[in-house]
Amino acid sequence: MQVQEPHTLSDKSLTTKLKTGVLIVNLGTPDSPNTPDVRKYLREFLMDGRVIDIPYAFRWMLVNLIIAPFRAPKSAKVYKELWTDRGSPLKFYGEDIEKMLQAQLGDEYDVKLAMRYQSPSMDAGLEAFKKSGYKKIIVVPFFPQYASASTGSVYEKTMRIVKEWQIIPEISFVNTFYDHPKFIEYFATAAKNYMAKHEYDYFMFSYHGLPQRQIRKGDCTGETCKFGSCCDTIHSMNQYCYRAQCHETTRLLVKELGLEEGTYRTTFQSRLGSDPWVQPYTDVVIKELAEQGKKNILVFSPAFVADCLETTIEIGEEYREMFEEFGGQHWQLVESLNNSPMWVDLLEDLIKKA
């Protein structure tokens, strides 16, 4: 008599069941450099209450009646300078990393690229994981330093989506990687290549700015944040402070490059509105350095993992022109991680440890 084997899942079903979904998330970019698409992007981005943290009614009027109508045409012109045959660099570098990371992680993982604003959407990526029944989801925001307006917003959007699911699998978030050895190694290696070809008399570390009020709101003690020496070290009371993490990234890079005290500075760019933002401002420091006789500056932008409007155009072109107008001679931007193999190695390490 033939004994019937007990029912088992097929190999294919078992493989699917044991997979982990990995959602890599960058900020976002317009679908095209045309004004309507730029306006649509700005509206979604700036209506996020973590980005412009003022009451909804005032935020709606500010964004929809002032910023989007008047800023979109100007931003569209700049986006057209940035656009390539492949589209927006921030997006196509993300697509490259999606493929490279998938190949490196193997079949046990399913990697999908998403943008916090616009496409490909986080909703679509997470929905695909839900339908596949994956055992775990790992969300990796592409922001080295934590900020409520970036990493925090990705966390919030993820939880807002999955809270409607009947079954919520295990979900892990990558919080920061501002001090990851491979992150520091990448920028240091890229910088050394430039330093071998040219002599620099100053080094700038320019990070994306934030309103001071957002930094203060993140101070759980209400007493730690002084916008001064409080960021000289990372400790339990400021471990999630964006400003403190930026300064720590600078310190680690300075150590790796062996820079002398007095030859470098941490600055902040891209402020919006009249409220005070984290200082010193990059454009103000550029003028000061030129007036001091600095002629050759190597500049880093370690708040970004992909070159974009804020790096290629703002730092690479606008700030260079500003520096030269004030008497500077040589201004060089160190490129972001973009689609480098070291970036993939860093992500693999973050994901395997999640």
Side-chain angles (χ1 to χ4, degrees):
M1 184 177 73
Q2 186 175 5
V3 178
Q4 185 174 1
E5 294 291 332
H7 176 72
T8 60
L9 291 172
S10 67
D11 289 343
K12 182 177 180 181
S13 298
L14 186 61
T15 300
T16 302
K17 182 180 179 182
L18 297 178
K19 270 193 175 183
T20 295
V22 177
L23 193 71
I24 53 175
V25 187
N26 212 332
L27 186 75
T29 185
D31 291 331
S32 82
N34 298 322
T35 299
D37 282 333
V38 173
R39 184 178 292 116
K40 179 183 176 184
Y41 167 73
L42 288 176
R43 281 177 171 153
E44 183 182 358
F45 172 38
L46 299 176
M47 279 303 296
D48 186 339
R50 286 180 177 263
V51 175
I52 298 183
D53 54 333
I54 60 176
Y56 179 85
F58 294 106
R59 184 169 69 251
W60 191 95
M61 289 187 287
L62 177 65
V63 173
N64 291 282
L65 302 180
I66 299 175
I67 298 178
F70 294 101
R71 188 173 176 179
K74 297 178 182 178
S75 295
K77 291 180 181 178
V78 183
Y79 271 111
K80 287 176 182 177
E81 292 180 44
L82 181 71
W83 229 253
T84 72
D85 292 339
R86 293 187 64 188
S88 169
L90 186 143
K91 187 173 182 179
F92 69 68
Y93 281 134
E95 292 169 344
D96 290 346
I97 291 298
E98 178 186 41
K99 294 175 184 177
M100 295 166 69
L101 184 60
Q102 181 66 72
Q104 191 148 321
L105 288 173
D107 293 338
E108 292 183 7
Y109 296 85
D110 184 5
V111 181
K112 292 192 183 301
L113 171 69
M115 298 293 171
R116 174 60 184 86
Y117 313 103
Q118 298 299 284
S119 60
S121 70
M122 290 180 61
D123 302 73
L126 289 169
E127 183 66 22
F129 293 157
K130 174 188 174 185
K131 290 182 177 179
S132 298
Y134 292 160
K135 65 169 185 175
K136 181 176 182 178
I137 295 172
I138 301 173
V139 179
V140 189
F142 271 17
F143 312 110
Q145 300 83 16
Y146 178 91
S148 171
S150 54
T151 307
S153 182
V154 171
Y155 286 10
E156 182 182 291
K157 179 69 179 289
T158 301
M159 292 184 282
R160 193 160 65 238
I161 294 170
V162 303
K163 74 173 184 175
E164 304 297 335
W165 296 4
Q166 188 65 33
I167 297 175
I168 300 176
E170 178 184 351
I171 299 178
S172 295
F173 295 94
V174 170
N175 188 269
T176 62
F177 49 92
Y178 66 92
D179 57 350
H180 193 286
K182 289 187 181 296
F183 182 69
I184 301 303
E185 181 186 356
Y186 172 82
F187 279 101
T189 301
K192 287 174 182 177
N193 289 334
Y194 287 112
M195 293 165 70
K197 300 173 185 176
H198 196 93
E199 187 173 343
Y200 295 92
D201 51 14
Y202 209 83
F203 302 84
M204 287 185 67
F205 298 86
S206 180
Y207 299 83
H208 199 286
L210 282 179
Q212 290 185 9
R213 67 174 182 274
Q214 291 189 8
I215 301 291
R216 288 196 182 95
K217 285 168 69 174
D219 180 6
C220 58
T221 68
E223 299 176 352
T224 302
C225 183
K226 305 295 183 184
F227 295 103
S229 60
C230 52
C231 293
D232 285 352
T233 59
I234 293 286
H235 49 80
S236 61
M237 293 296 99
N238 72 352
Q239 61 180 315
Y240 292 111
C241 172
Y242 175 77
R243 181 176 181 268
Q245 291 180 359
C246 291
H247 279 283
E248 180 67 7
T249 298
T250 295
R251 284 191 291 269
L252 292 170
L253 282 167
V254 164
K255 182 179 179 181
E256 187 69 22
L257 292 168
L259 303 184
E260 296 181 4
E261 196 65 34
T263 64
Y264 62 88
R265 197 166 183 187
T266 295
T267 63
F268 298 89
Q269 64 187 82
S270 309
R271 61 189 184 277
L272 175 68
S274 58
D275 286 352
W277 283 44
V278 185
Q279 298 180 35
Y281 302 136
T282 300
D283 54 353
V284 173
V285 173
I286 289 172
K287 182 178 180 181
E288 292 174 355
L289 292 174
E291 290 174 347
Q292 293 169 12
K294 305 302 181 186
K295 298 296 183 183
N296 302 279
I297 295 181
L298 186 64
V299 58
F300 303 74
S301 190
F304 300 91
V305 300
D307 283 317
C308 54
L309 208 66
E310 288 84 355
T311 60
T312 303
I313 304 298
E314 187 174 12
I315 297 180
E317 296 183 12
E318 294 176 1
Y319 286 168
R320 175 182 54 78
E321 293 173 1
M322 182 185 303
F323 181 58
E324 292 173 351
E325 287 176 5
F326 291 135
Q329 295 178 353
H330 187 77
W331 174 273
Q332 178 62 57
L333 170 66
V334 177
E335 63 273 11
S336 296
L337 291 97
N338 295 329
N339 56 3
S340 69
M342 195 177 294
W343 178 209
V344 179
D345 291 342
L346 193 165
L347 286 168
E348 180 185 22
D349 186 61
L350 294 173
I351 290 162
K352 293 288 181 66
K353 288 178 178 177

